[in-house]
Amino acid sequence: GPRYERDGSVRQSWADPVGWAGLGKVAPNPADEAALMQARMRTIELELDAIDAGIAAGRESLAEQAAGFAPTAPSVQSLQPQEAALVRDRLRATALRDERLRMQRALADGIPDPGPHAHLHHRRTPLAESERGRTRFLSIWAVLSTPLILAILASFVWPGSYGHARFAIVLLVIVVAVEAFARGYFVAFIGRFLLFFLVLNLVFAFVFNWQYVTGALLSASALVILVVNIRDSFRR
């Protein structure tokens, strides 16, 4: 049932629904959140006082132990762990001061009410009318797409006037275009199709007229190099 797991233990969603939903760390309203922020700032103040006192004592202790020695002396080098701990305390104090400043600014500006759905990462909302129509079209297309693709493949080997490869390729492109329209990326499909068509034409042009294509590419390269060299000569 809804209370127990398969091993007989009580489900978290039953015993602790607030924690299970991720709301245990969320204040119920802006007033309570402001009170929690003020309590957190008091805690930060106490922690900063302790850290600052420790930093002052540690700095004085390090200075006393290193007094009278060269910076490269072994006795001074052995103080590096204590110095690293002092640096970590300074970084912790800086982080706490930044956190306190952020809370002070939030309290000064006023805490907005995020609403009851702010904790949801993927909120499920009712489908819009356009999404419903697309979903209905997708369900119909899912029924028709596979038989159409199989029929197109059959046209490759079917004897007669409609068995030409060109006709089958055109039908396949139409099917893929409808699929792209149903999935919502029709414009991207058109762009990719045009790019593929352009590359294919360039390949055919190079295969059947490679002398002209090679000559045009070499001429264009020569023109570009000439322009770059002229520009560099003027810059000198």
Side-chain angles (χ1 to χ4, degrees), residues 19-175:
W20 173 79
L23 294 175
K25 58 184 178 297
V26 179
N29 53 64
D32 289 346
E33 186 172 3
L36 291 172
M37 293 171 68
Q38 292 172 354
R40 173 60 182 164
M41 285 192 294
R42 289 192 294 269
T43 303
I44 289 175
E45 291 291 343
L46 296 176
E47 190 173 353
L48 280 175
D49 292 340
I51 292 176
D52 290 339
I55 289 175
R59 183 170 57 244
E60 185 177 357
S61 175
L62 283 175
E64 290 178 356
Q65 296 179 63
F69 296 96
T72 57
S75 57
V76 177
Q77 296 296 323
S78 64
L79 299 176
Q80 289 183 355
Q82 302 178 34
E83 190 173 5
L86 196 63
V87 171
R88 288 194 296 269
D89 290 341
R90 290 194 182 99
L91 293 176
R92 174 62 179 168
T94 301
L96 289 174
R97 289 190 176 92
D98 290 342
E99 183 181 357
R100 181 181 61 185
L101 179 61
R102 177 180 60 82
M103 292 184 178
Q104 290 173 348
R105 290 175 177 174
L107 290 174
D109 296 338
I111 302 174
D113 189 356
H117 306 293
H119 66 287
L120 298 178
H121 297 287
H122 303 285
R123 183 186 173 191
R124 300 298 182 182
T125 57
L127 292 176
E129 190 64 31
S130 59
E131 294 178 348
R132 292 176 183 173
R134 184 176 297 275
T135 303
R136 191 177 300 111
F137 179 75
L138 277 174
S139 62
I140 297 173
W141 179 245
V143 176
L144 299 177
S145 59
T146 302
L148 281 175
I149 293 174
L150 292 176
I152 292 171
L153 293 177
S155 67
F156 277 102
V157 296
W158 194 267
S161 59
Y162 293 102
H164 298 295
R166 291 184 179 179
F167 181 74
I169 292 174
V170 170
L171 288 179
L172 185 60
V173 170
I174 293 174
V175 169

